[in-house]
């Protein structure tokens, strides 16, 4: 039986055999030399079969010397460490202090702020919050960036006069659906829409121009709808419907250009496989006042259909 001595990986250069604490040399039930196997006992510095038991300090000093040679080239890294002169043990590591924020008494520091342009709530002085706000605000003011050439090539269903409309289905690759989620963050904030389509089979149409998304239409297949009889009111009589328009959105700078109508046209053609849904069978999900006006103009019905999404 013998006991192994586990030495630290990094040893200060001032350590030698005289500075080894005596409690580190205590062993129990040692019956052979821990550093020299039985066959090599004649080469033991003490030239005794059990000489190591009485001179463990010398053997440990040999190991310390070997360790020092390994770390000699890296000793400069140890200069920042504080050690106890008596036991040569590492107490702590000196770390430079970093000034995270500069507080000069400004009124806005550390306060929640709501952006007047995009409506996002963020904290002044927090670098991460401010970076996220800049990104969201740019997307809100100019449209969400769309620079995927592969997605544009594979999913474009209509192009004209610098505008491209891309169709993304619920079963498309995750990267495509993540782009829809990114656009929906801006759309939902603008419309005051509470997203509730995680488990729905929604087909989304994105209108892209100059590398930014400026319009969106989300549609799904439905079976029934109800006639809208006023703002926020509907009849209780079910009517047949085939296409549900979950939401339609156009960026403020691109309205009055027919983009919303074009998106709904494509939704009628390409949402339900093999069917071109008539405009009278299109139902809109909880339209706003402007949405209700658009629904009446698009369907050419005094009481367009609505449905519960």
């Amino acid at each position: 039986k013998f006991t192994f001595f586990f030495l630290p990986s990094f040893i200060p250069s001032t350590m030698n055999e005289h500075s080894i604490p005596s409690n580190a040399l205590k062993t129990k039930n040692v019956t052979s030399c821990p550093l020299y196997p039985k066959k090599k006992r004649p080469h033991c510095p003490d030239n005794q079969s059990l000489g190591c038991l009485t001179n463990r300090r010398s053997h440990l000093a040999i190991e310390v010397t070997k360790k020092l040679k390994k770390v000699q080239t890296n000793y400069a890294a140890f200069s920042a460490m504080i050690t106890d002169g008596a036991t040569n043990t590492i107490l702590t590591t000196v770390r430079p202090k970093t000034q995270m924020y500069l507080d000069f008494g400004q009124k806005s520091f550390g306060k929640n702020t709501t952006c007047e342009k995009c409506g996002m709530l963020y904290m002044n002085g927090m670098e991460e919050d401010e970076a996220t706000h800049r990104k969201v605000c740019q997307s809100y003011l100019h449209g969400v960036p769309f620079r995927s050439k592969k997605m544009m090539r594979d999913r474009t269903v209509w192009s004209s006069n610098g505008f491209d409309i891309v169709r993304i289905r619920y079963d498309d690759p995750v990267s495509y659906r993540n782009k829809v989620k990114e656009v929906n963050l801006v759309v939902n904030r603008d419309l005051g829409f509470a997203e509730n389509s995680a488990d729905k089979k929604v087909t989304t149409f994105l209108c892209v121009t100059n590398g930014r998304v400026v319009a969106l239409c989300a549609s799904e297949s439905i079976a029934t709808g109800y006639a809208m009889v006023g703002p926020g009111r509907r009849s209780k009589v079910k009517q047949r419907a085939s296409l549900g328009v979950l939401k339609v959105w156009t960026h403020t700078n691109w309205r009055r250009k027919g983009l919303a109508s074009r998106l709904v046209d494509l939704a009628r053609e390409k949402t339900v496989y093999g069917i071109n849904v008539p405009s009278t069978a299109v139902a809109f999900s909880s339209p706003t006042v402007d949405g209700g006006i658009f629904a009446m103009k698009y369907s050419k019905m005094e009481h367009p259909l609505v449905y519960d999404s």
Side-chain angles (χ1 to χ4, degrees):
K1 298 181 180 179
F2 54 88
T3 300
F4 290 98
F5 295 92
F6 293 91
L7 297 177
S9 300
F10 304 104
I11 303 174
S13 59
T14 57
M15 181 178 284
N16 52 45
E17 64 273 16
H18 300 292
S19 61
I20 300 173
S22 59
N23 58 359
L25 301 175
K26 294 181 179 180
T27 58
K28 296 181 180 180
N29 301 324
V30 178
T31 58
S32 62
C33 176
L35 302 180
Y36 297 91
K38 185 176 180 180
K39 294 182 180 180
K40 295 183 180 181
R41 280 182 180 175
H43 299 285
C44 177
D46 305 301
N47 198 22
Q48 297 178 10
S49 59
L50 296 178
C52 294
L53 295 177
T54 57
N55 292 280
R56 292 188 297 273
R57 183 181 294 272
S58 298
H59 290 289
L60 189 57
I62 295 173
E63 286 300 300
V64 170
T65 303
K66 293 179 181 179
K67 292 288 183 179
L68 290 175
K69 289 181 180 179
K70 292 182 181 179
V71 301
Q72 186 176 6
T73 57
N74 297 328
Y75 180 69
F78 307 148
S79 60
M81 296 183 180
I82 301 174
T83 58
D84 187 345
T87 60
N88 287 295
T89 57
I90 298 173
L91 300 178
T92 185
T93 302
V94 178
R95 296 182 180 179
K97 296 182 178 180
T98 303
Q99 177 67 50
M100 302 300 294
Y101 308 106
L102 296 177
D103 184 0
F104 297 112
Q106 55 269 40
K107 295 181 180 180
S108 61
F109 182 81
K111 293 184 178 180
N112 291 331
T113 303
T114 302
C115 178
E116 296 179 356
K117 297 179 180 179
C118 66
M120 179 179 176
L121 180 67
Y122 67 99
M123 180 175 289
N124 277 318
M126 294 288 291
E127 184 177 353
E128 295 180 358
D129 272 24
E130 291 183 348
T132 302
H133 168 248
R134 286 193 296 268
K135 181 179 179 181
V136 172
C137 204
Q138 288 295 316
S139 298
Y140 188 85
L141 295 177
H142 306 290
V144 177
F146 189 101
R147 297 184 176 87
S148 175
K149 295 181 179 180
K150 184 178 185 302
M151 196 185 308
M152 187 73 73
R153 182 178 63 252
D154 296 343
R155 295 295 185 268
T156 299
V157 294
W158 181 86
S159 297
S160 179
N161 299 326
F163 292 93
D164 299 288
I165 294 181
V166 178
R167 179 184 65 178
I168 301 177
R169 294 174 55 82
Y170 59 90
D171 55 356
D172 276 342
V174 175
S175 59
Y176 292 12
R177 287 179 278 140
N178 286 341
K179 175 57 66 175
V180 173
K181 291 181 180 179
E182 183 181 352
V183 178
N184 276 328
L185 290 176
V186 176
V187 174
N188 294 344
R189 183 178 291 110
D190 196 14
L191 297 178
F193 187 86
E195 188 66 50
N196 189 26
S197 58
D199 299 327
K200 292 187 176 183
K201 297 181 178 180
V202 177
T203 301
T204 305
F205 297 85
L206 304 177
C207 183
V208 182
T209 184
N210 297 325
R212 290 189 177 270
V213 178
V214 297
L216 171 146
C217 176
S219 60
E220 59 183 336
S221 178
I222 61 173
T224 59
Y226 305 86
M228 184 177 68
V229 296
R233 295 186 296 125
R234 68 178 191 184
S235 69
K236 297 181 180 181
V237 180
K238 292 184 179 181
Q239 297 187 27
R240 182 177 178 80
S242 300
L243 178 69
V245 176
L246 191 62
K247 53 189 167 183
V248 180
W249 170 84
T250 305
H251 192 278
T252 306
N253 298 337
W254 298 97
R255 292 175 183 172
R256 305 294 181 183
K257 298 182 181 297
L259 297 179
S261 297
R262 173 54 59 183
L263 288 169
V264 178
D265 287 344
L266 289 171
R268 287 168 47 204
E269 296 174 11
K270 300 183 179 296
T271 299
V272 183
Y273 181 77
I275 300 177
N276 191 343
V277 179
S279 60
T280 55
V282 177
F284 296 84
S285 172
S286 303
T288 61
V289 175
D290 291 337
I293 296 173
F294 171 78
M296 287 189 290
K297 290 182 177 179
Y298 182 83
S299 63
K300 299 179 181 179
M301 299 169 60
E302 184 179 357
H303 302 289
L305 299 180
V306 296
Y307 78 105
D308 295 326
S309 59

